[in-house]
Amino acid sequence: MRMIFVNLPVRDVEASKAFFAALGFGHNPDFSDETAACIVIDENVFVMVMTHDKFRTFIKGEISDAHKATEVLTCLSADSREEVDSLLAKAMAAGGKPWLPAIDMGPMYGVSFQDPDGHVWEVMHMDMSGEAAA
């Protein structure tokens, strides 16, 4: 079994935990402390949010300011168009900001937003049945 850990620098670990909890994601306290938190997106998908000082111990160079430059796009799949819209609404209500307009390409529908630290998240539904709503 392969797992993925997305590591993100954040200004406030507790605020990041609250943001991701508002999106419906879990938290694993076994891999968390005052400098980092393990956010559980799915069974094998995790986001490690870390203070800038902690994040610096894992990198060379400077930390990108995600409000000024896009360092990565993290895309999550969704089971339906409704789930895409619901996750966007939760993100906005929790302090996220809209990023690009929604895309609707028949079988592929998605939205994007920035978390409070400026990291870009996409949420996509891909209907492979050939019966996508227009």
Side-chain angles (χ1 to χ4, degrees):
M1 164 179 53
R2 192 173 303 272
M3 301 187 315
I4 185 168
F5 290 83
V6 176
N7 297 283
L8 297 176
V10 300
R11 298 204 183 281
D12 184 332
V13 170
E14 289 302 316
S16 290
K17 282 173 44 181
F19 176 79
F20 287 107
L23 299 182
F25 300 134
H27 169 245
N28 184 338
D30 293 337
F31 299 106
S32 303
D33 61 21
E34 65 280 348
T35 66
C38 180
I39 308 301
V40 181
I41 304 294
D42 205 0
E43 183 180 358
N44 296 318
V45 181
F46 308 90
V47 175
M48 293 298 300
V49 294
M50 297 178 230
T51 63
H52 284 215
D53 287 341
K54 175 87 166 200
F55 191 80
R56 279 187 189 93
T57 67
F58 295 98
I59 67 167
K60 292 171 33 177
E62 297 299 315
I63 295 174
S64 295
D65 182 344
H67 293 288
K68 295 180 181 177
T70 304
E71 81 278 54
V72 67
L73 299 174
T74 303
C75 184
L76 302 174
S77 64
D79 290 333
S80 67
R81 290 169 163 268
E82 293 77 22
E83 185 181 11
V84 169
D85 292 336
S86 175
L87 200 54
L88 177 63
K90 289 176 185 176
M92 296 302 99
K97 294 181 181 173
W99 199 56
L100 293 176
I103 62 164
D104 191 346
M105 299 167 66
M108 186 168 74
Y109 174 69
V111 298
S112 58
F113 60 87
Q114 288 181 301
D115 68 23
D117 287 281
H119 305 291
V120 177
W121 293 84
E122 297 178 314
V123 184
M124 281 294 166
H125 171 65
M126 291 171 271
D127 183 348
M128 304 312 251
S129 71
E131 298 178 17

